[in-house]
Amino acid sequence: MAAMAEDPVCGMDVDTNNAPHHHEHDGETFYFCSAGCASKFAGDPLYYLLMPDQRPAPVARPGSQYTCPMHPEVVRDGPDSCPLCGMALEPMEVTAEKPINPELIDMTRRLCIGAAFAVPLLAMAMGDMLPGVSFASLLGVGFKWTQLVLATPLVLWAGWPFFVRGWQSISQRSPNMFTLISLGVGAAYLFSFTAVVLPDFVPKALHGHSTQTPLYFETAGVIIVLVLLGQVLELRARERMGDALRALLDLTPKVALRLNPGGVDREIPLAEVMTGDRLRVRPGEAIPADGAIIEGKGTVDESMVTGEAMPVSKDVGDSVIGGTINGTAGFVMQAERVGSETMLSRIVTLVSRSQRSRAPIQRLADWTAVRFVPLVIAVAIVTFITWALWGPPPALSFAVAAAVSVLIIACPCALGLATPMSIMVATGRGAGMGVLVRHAAALEALARVDLLVVDKTGTLTAGRPSVTGIQTLGCENADAMLGFAAALERGSEHPLSVAILEAAEARGIAVESVSGFDAVPGAGVTGNVAGRSVALGNAVLMEAVGVDVAPLADSADAIRREGTTAVFLATDGDLVAVLSISDPVKDGASAALAALRDQGIEIVMVTGDNQATAGAVAALVGIARVEAGVIPAEKGAIVSRFQEEGHTVAMVGDGINDAPALAGADVGIAMGTGTDVAMESAGITLVTGDLLALVRARRLATATLRNIRQNLFFAFVYNAAGIPIAAGILFPVLGVMLSPMVAAAAMSLSSVSVIANALRLRTIKL
């Protein structure tokens, strides 16, 4: 049986089981009256949320917080308005489903009802200007009172939030747009109210040739409606800012197919998936969690996460990302990261934090905004006095209209929104293209970069080296020498260690334990294996331990000329072998670096490898400047040297040894395939570790900075031109005065224009 409840607004029955009129959101069910009166009630038929003025303040979901896009330092536990700028706060937590916006619901309701009062009010005022039409003559004394009756609910109810925020701005000593709106509308309404209720209170000397005091009810009312319209348009535009992140979250399927003991598949909610679970992914399905394939293979579309259009082939042992789409073959995977630990969740968390960060270019707007509102109020006062004393008759009419126009047309919000709106859209767009921006300053710095420092291993090369040869001296056994090398490298974090360990495993060589292990940064490793003193590394290490590399020097040079790394092995102070380790250059690296050079960026390779090896790799990718044989501690110093020369430096790396240089560069760029330490030190992370993503990041950064400059230019020019025009600067020349209603329309559209321009970043070609 359907559960029924009476809507307390219109008295109609609300069917709580009526699907077309209810909506599930985060465990809460919202029911709507078919007449559209009640907003919602949650679960309990006795608990209603009525009209905006009657209902209690919205309750935030547990753990959710709200912040201001212009002032991210303002954080509240529920929906509210910013005490500094008056804007509606937005949820800090991004969810796959677009949240209900109580501010938009409230403003839309006020706009609709306010417009119903504004239309007849405007018709009465405009009708008196038409020949043969005179509401004043028709209604007599009742004409003024009719205007008063229509304007009062329009101003005091529909415009009430503006007066509340205007008062809050004064009490918080943070004047903003609502300060100006409340002053302008309040002055027009109170003056007209006084002229109707206390007609003798207005000095007759201010009337000019007219015996009637001018009324501004329609001005105050229409301004309220136009500002409400601007707020509705702005709120709807701001809702679209999080679409990119919501699209990412929506990629994750709601259920997963888990393999239980015995091989039986069972469909379970995604929330029940645990680390270590075996999950079956069928063709065409979204991958439910981050993990690795343990059976079968597939071709996975990772474009929504990495920005790469081509599907990626996956086989046993390969990692997969939750939310990406499997192709035509099925496989079984083991879940390694679930819930908030998945890459998608981490991306959304990182980007949502980035969207609340502030770019250095915003300092100009912040500095201007602090001084803007007091200056506008001063201009409005001077404008009123000037027109009242020296304006043509009726001087009072001109004075009030000009002063109100000045207050209304000014828009500090356009200045305040110029930077954060562009940053929000850009970081969301970047997240969908495999570019994660940690903070806004990194995006701005990347747009100004003129020199790029790149690491070799794992950045230019694939970072998956392999042993391609072992040359020994005398009668030493190659497998035995590889066993010594593998024993040492088991304690190393260097990418080459993986290649040596994999080579030993492939040959079935047992790896001995090591004692006295020591890693020499930028040189190699030493230790004791099976009672012998072993050293593995470059010529610098060999020299340090007193080993002569001359017997294999020619072989090592030949290896390096092929772009392959030569690693010397010594036991008990004697050189015994040289290993050749090849790490192929990444596909697309040459094209990516060429594109960056076309943008005017100088590229320098900095690596710990030998000059010959580094030079060979540099030649393959078109890099002319190489600094080789650099130990990790020197990378940061090299970055500092370039900065002292006047360059804006970006550093790209992927290892622990790159972290100091990444942190010291103007913008650090980490490969997503590298270590967590590198990513934590960087301002930007490339999810795929592909340098083509760096090209996209650079294009995004330059487009964002250009977009911000456009917004700031528009905001400054709009205010610089609009305020003098509103004050009447064109009247002596053209005889034109700006109507306060036109000023209100211009003000409302200015903020919307800034947001609309920022939204263009969603469609730029990267």
Side-chain angles (χ1 to χ4, degrees):
M1 179 177 179
M4 305 297 292
E6 183 179 280
D7 187 319
V9 178
C10 66
M12 293 184 64
D13 286 337
V14 178
D15 183 355
T16 61
N17 293 332
N18 189 1
H21 297 111
H22 82 274
H23 175 62
E24 297 284 344
H25 179 70
D26 283 14
E28 201 175 16
T29 305
F30 300 85
Y31 299 93
F32 297 85
C33 169
S34 58
C37 298
S39 293
K40 71 172 185 177
F41 63 86
D44 183 359
L46 300 179
Y47 175 68
Y48 294 95
L49 295 180
L50 311 178
M51 301 283 281
D53 298 301
Q54 300 169 307
R55 63 185 185 224
V59 180
R61 299 188 304 274
S64 65
Q65 291 184 310
Y66 291 70
T67 188
C68 173
M70 285 174 54
H71 301 92
E73 68 275 14
V74 175
V75 178
R76 297 290 183 269
D77 290 332
D80 203 346
S81 60
C82 176
L84 300 179
C85 66
M87 293 182 67
L89 303 185
E90 299 176 340
M92 296 176 67
E93 177 187 0
V94 180
T95 57
E97 185 178 354
K98 187 175 293 186
I100 290 177
N101 190 335
E103 176 83 356
L104 178 58
I105 294 173
D106 185 32
M107 290 295 177
T108 303
R109 188 187 300 274
R110 291 180 188 274
L111 171 62
C112 295
I113 296 175
F117 285 91
V119 170
L121 186 62
L122 183 61
M124 293 178 67
M126 299 300 293
D128 272 7
M129 301 178 186
L130 300 175
V133 180
S134 177
F135 285 100
S137 301
L138 182 64
L139 298 176
V141 178
F143 176 72
K144 295 181 179 180
W145 287 96
T146 302
Q147 286 186 301
L148 174 60
V149 169
L150 288 171
T152 298
L154 175 54
V155 172
L156 298 185
W157 180 81
W160 183 248
F162 305 148
F163 291 106
V164 171
R165 294 174 189 184
W167 173 252
Q168 287 176 342
S169 71
I170 295 172
S171 62
Q172 295 284 338
R173 298 181 181 179
S174 178
N176 54 49
M177 178 184 76
F178 296 103
T179 314
L180 301 177
I181 293 172
S182 58
L183 285 175
V185 173
Y189 175 80
L190 289 175
F191 178 85
S192 303
F193 180 88
T194 302
V196 173
V197 178
L198 301 170
D200 297 331
F201 186 80
V202 180
K204 296 188 182 300
L206 297 178
H207 293 177
H209 298 303
S210 175
T211 58
Q212 299 293 325
T213 304
L215 301 180
Y216 300 96
F217 286 125
E218 84 286 352
T219 298
V222 173
I223 287 174
I224 289 294
V225 171
L226 290 173
V227 175
L228 283 169
L229 175 61
Q231 289 291 294
V232 169
L233 293 176
E234 178 184 323
L235 288 166
R236 286 181 177 175
R238 284 167 56 190
E239 275 193 335
R240 298 169 60 189
M241 295 294 175
D243 285 352
L245 294 185
R246 279 189 284 270
L248 282 177
L249 284 175
D250 197 44
L251 293 174
T252 308
K254 304 300 183 287
V255 296
L257 200 61
R258 183 170 65 191
L259 274 67
N260 292 329
V264 179
D265 296 352
R266 181 188 171 200
E267 190 171 84
I268 60 172
L270 185 66
E272 294 183 12
V273 174
M274 307 291 289
T275 300
D277 281 352
R278 294 185 303 150
L279 308 173
R280 186 180 300 280
V281 181
R282 293 171 294 199
E285 289 185 339
I287 297 170
D290 293 0
I293 296 177
I294 58 176
E295 179 184 325
K297 59 183 179 180
T299 303
V300 180
D301 179 2
E302 298 180 338
S303 59
M304 280 298 292
V305 178
T306 66
E308 296 295 339
M310 293 298 295
V312 182
S313 297
K314 302 285 185 177
D315 210 330
V316 173
D318 290 337
S319 61
V320 290
I321 303 171
T324 54
I325 307 299
N326 183 30
T328 57
F331 57 82
V332 177
M333 61 171 288
Q334 186 170 39
E336 296 176 350
R337 290 184 297 274
V338 299
S340 61
E341 297 300 317
T342 64
M343 178 178 287
L344 274 179
S345 296
R346 292 170 64 192
I347 287 174
V348 170
T349 300
L350 175 66
V351 175
S352 60
R353 289 175 183 170
S354 171
Q355 290 179 336
R356 296 189 292 273
S357 61
R358 302 171 77 82
I361 196 172
Q362 192 171 348
R363 293 170 187 162
L364 175 62
D366 292 343
W367 183 89
T368 305
V370 171
R371 296 156 178 80
F372 184 80
V373 174
L375 177 63
V376 172
I377 294 174
V379 171
I381 293 172
V382 171
T383 299
F384 179 85
I385 294 173
T386 302
W387 280 99
L389 294 180
W390 296 290
L396 180 61
S397 178
F398 281 113
V400 173
V404 170
S405 294
V406 169
L407 291 171
I408 296 300
I409 201 170
C411 190
C413 270
L415 281 172
L417 290 171
T419 299
M421 292 298 103
S422 298
I423 293 297
M424 288 180 69
V425 178
T427 51
R429 177 71 193 283
M433 299 297 291
V435 178
L436 305 185
V437 181
R438 181 170 292 277
H439 49 77
L443 199 61
E444 181 179 339
L446 182 58
R448 304 180 190 276
V449 162
D450 62 354
L451 188 144
L452 176 68
V453 176
V454 295
D455 178 46
K456 182 180 75 71
T457 305
T459 302
L460 293 175
T461 61
R464 299 187 65 176
S466 59
V467 176
T468 55
I470 304 174
Q471 184 174 343
T472 62
L473 280 177
C475 59
E476 298 288 357
N477 180 271
D479 284 355
M481 297 305 97
L482 182 59
F484 283 130
L488 282 181
E489 291 292 12
R490 189 159 58 178
S492 172
E493 87 289 342
H494 197 279
L496 299 184
S497 66
V498 177
I500 294 173
L501 288 167
E502 287 180 349
E505 181 180 356
R507 299 190 185 194
I509 299 171
V511 180
E512 301 281 349
S513 59
V514 61
S515 61
F517 175 83
D518 183 33
V520 181
V525 291
T526 61
N528 297 310
V529 180
R532 299 175 69 174
S533 175
V534 182
L536 178 72
N538 58 22
V540 174
L541 179 67
M542 295 298 109
E543 183 180 352
V545 296
V547 174
D548 182 14
V549 299
L552 290 174
D554 291 341
S555 298
D557 287 341
I559 291 170
R560 293 173 188 133
R561 284 193 293 271
E562 296 176 356
T564 303
T565 300
V567 181
F568 294 106
L569 177 69
T571 61
D572 295 330
D574 296 320
L575 184 68
V576 292
V578 60
L579 286 70
S580 58
I581 303 179
S582 175
D583 189 7
V585 172
K586 289 181 178 178
D587 293 337
S590 297
L593 295 179
L596 293 170
R597 281 193 296 271
D598 289 343
Q599 296 179 28
I601 298 177
E602 181 183 358
I603 301 171
V604 180
M605 179 200 291
V606 177
T607 178
D609 251 336
N610 177 277
Q611 181 67 46
T613 303
V617 173
L620 288 174
V621 296
I623 295 178
R625 188 172 177 183
V626 178
E627 302 221 6
V630 177
I631 63 174
E634 294 175 344
K635 289 186 177 181
I638 291 173
V639 168
S640 297
R641 189 183 77 218
F642 288 140
Q643 290 171 324
E644 290 169 0
E645 293 173 359
H647 292 289
T648 301
V649 181
M651 167 69 190
V652 187
D654 75 324
I656 293 176
N657 57 354
D658 298 320
L662 289 170
D666 293 285
V667 54
I669 303 168
M671 296 300 191
T673 51
T675 65
D676 288 341
V677 174
M679 287 186 278
E680 289 295 328
S681 304
I684 293 175
T685 298
L686 309 179
V687 174
T688 59
D690 183 356
L691 284 175
L692 288 172
L694 177 55
V695 179
R696 293 196 293 270
R698 166 73 175 188
R699 289 173 181 162
L700 177 66
T702 53
T704 302
L705 192 59
R706 182 171 59 248
N707 192 269
I708 290 172
R709 287 170 174 162
Q710 291 168 350
N711 284 344
L712 289 173
F713 177 79
F714 170 79
F716 277 114
V717 169
Y718 164 80
N719 284 292
I723 293 174
I725 292 174
I729 195 172
L730 297 180
F731 187 83
V733 180
L734 302 177
V736 175
M737 281 289 292
L738 188 69
S739 165
M741 290 179 280
V742 175
M747 184 275 296
S748 298
L749 291 177
S750 63
S751 294
V752 177
S753 299
V754 166
I755 296 174
N757 188 51
L759 286 170
R760 290 194 309 112
L761 288 170
R762 301 193 311 171
T763 58
I764 60 169
K765 185 178 180 180
L766 299 179

